[in-house]
Amino acid sequence: MILTVTLNTALDISYRVRSLRPHASHRVSEVLERPGGKGLNVARVLAALGHPVTVTGFAGGATGRAVQERLTGTPGVVDALLPVTGTTRRTIAVVDERTGDTTQLNEPGPTITPAEWSAFQEAYEDLLAGTDAVALCGSLPPGVPVGAYAGLVRTARAANVPVLLDTSGEPLRRAVAARPDVVKPNADELAELTGSHEPLRATQDARRRGARAVVASLGAEGLLAVTPEGRWRATPPAHVRGNPTGAGDSAVAGLLSGLVDRLPWPDRLARAAALSAATVAAPAAGEFDRGAYEQLLGQVAVTGEVTAA
């Protein structure tokens, strides 16, 4: 079983409009609602790949109930979200059909009380029993300590459970020092962490800060990985038009899937890059175009070298 942690869950709402214009009224052509937050997106992709997955984090209020109701209908996903008194946030994605661009609006999330945070830590430690890997994903809601992910990384390591971290800012900086097995920043998050905008140098620097392996998501340019076994770059065959929301989450799912399947790093990266590109082609975050994925998987170019640990 794979465990995904989403401390700031959301109800993802996607609007499609013909052309997004400032200061104008728009007619929405399509509305999609899905359980959201990075870890929930990861979980749905993992379940679609055939991996049993449990999701945990917080859910509260009418929005939290809507998230949990929709999770109930997701095959392969077990809901272990904890109730809170606050209301789960919403995220709004507005897709411009003319350009393919997406505008994202993210609410901050509910304020978590000290008692609710303590209850989560106890539940998390219990859930790690029998877990093959855990993903810690996304932003922290108000009230959760900035060092929360660092503590959760240490708890997973004490339980001998491999842990993948996908967050940003100060929570990322602190958690990297706790030595997660894999860190997956995007280019902006990597530059903020290291101060370098050169991808290879920044990725190597992030690994020196404590992560066992670093996989940087570089958008249309694919993935760059620096690991104890070597370093590689995975590049999709062509730019894919569509909604990029959730593409990084699908890359996380591919990396976790490859980890539990014990694939060598080049195969993990090819899977992650193909899933990421196939998600751009899908209409909603947390989904991927299976036909596009199967086609892209054999077309992703992986280059690199094996090095000493």
Side-chain angles (χ1 to χ4, degrees), residues 197-251:
H197 291 272
E198 199 290 306
L200 179 58
R201 180 180 304 153
T203 304
Q204 291 172 323
D205 184 13
R207 185 164 179 251
R208 283 192 292 268
R209 291 169 184 255
R212 179 171 171 81
V214 179
V215 181
S217 179
L218 305 178
E221 297 180 10
L223 301 172
L224 174 65
V226 177
T227 81
E229 291 80 20
R231 61 190 186 197
W232 293 272
R233 190 159 194 156
T235 308
H239 177 67
V240 178
R241 285 179 56 85
N243 181 1
T245 305
D249 304 331
S250 291

Side-chain angles (χ1 to χ4, degrees), residues 186-206:
N186 63 31
D188 290 340
E189 293 161 352
L190 188 62
E192 182 181 9
L193 174 67
T194 65
S196 173
H197 291 272
E198 199 290 306
L200 179 58
R201 180 180 304 153
T203 304
Q204 291 172 323
D205 184 13

Side-chain angles (χ1 to χ4, degrees), residues 34-309:
R34 296 288 187 276
K38 296 177 74 65
L40 269 65
N41 294 337
V42 171
R44 284 202 301 279
V45 174
L46 285 168
L49 292 172
H51 294 281
V53 58
T54 295
V55 297
T56 191
F58 300 113
T63 312
R65 288 192 295 273
V67 167
Q68 291 187 288
E69 287 169 3
R70 286 161 174 78
L71 280 176
T72 300
T74 307
V77 176
V78 174
D79 174 6
L81 296 171
L82 275 68
V84 293
T85 55
T87 298
T88 295
R89 66 187 178 133
R90 296 163 298 177
T91 66
I92 311 296
V94 183
V95 181
D96 185 321
E97 295 176 340
R98 180 177 59 85
T99 64
D101 292 337
T102 300
T103 299
Q104 191 82 16
L105 303 173
N106 297 328
E107 296 179 357
T111 298
I112 305 302
T113 68
E116 289 166 344
W117 175 237
S118 294
F120 172 81
Q121 290 173 284
E122 292 178 8
Y124 171 74
E125 191 166 357
D126 291 341
L127 286 167
L128 287 174
T131 294
D132 297 313
V134 58
L136 308 176
C137 302
S139 61
L140 301 179
V144 173
V146 70
Y149 281 136
L152 298 180
V153 168
R154 287 191 288 266
T155 301
R157 287 179 57 83
N160 293 316
V161 176
V163 56
L164 184 152
L165 175 69
D166 184 13
T167 189
S168 61
E170 186 65 13
L172 171 61
R173 189 186 69 80
R174 296 199 186 194
V176 164
R179 305 186 64 80
D181 293 273
V182 184
V183 173
K184 196 220 68 68
N186 63 31
D188 290 340
E189 293 161 352
L190 188 62
E192 182 181 9
L193 174 67
T194 65
S196 173
H197 291 272
E198 199 290 306
L200 179 58
R201 180 180 304 153
T203 304
Q204 291 172 323
D205 184 13
R207 185 164 179 251
R208 283 192 292 268
R209 291 169 184 255
R212 179 171 171 81
V214 179
V215 181
S217 179
L218 305 178
E221 297 180 10
L223 301 172
L224 174 65
V226 177
T227 81
E229 291 80 20
R231 61 190 186 197
W232 293 272
R233 190 159 194 156
T235 308
H239 177 67
V240 178
R241 285 179 56 85
N243 181 1
T245 305
D249 304 331
S250 291
V252 168
L255 294 171
L256 282 170
S257 172
L259 187 157
V260 298
D261 286 344
R262 301 183 183 278
L263 297 181
W265 269 106
D267 293 341
R268 294 188 208 181
L269 295 170
R271 181 179 290 183
L275 280 169
S276 181
T279 297
V280 174
E287 297 181 355
F288 64 94
D289 185 311
R290 187 172 291 275
Y293 164 63
E294 292 173 353
Q295 181 178 12
L296 287 163
L297 185 59
Q299 298 176 350
V300 172
V302 181
T303 58
E305 58 183 350
V306 176
T307 60

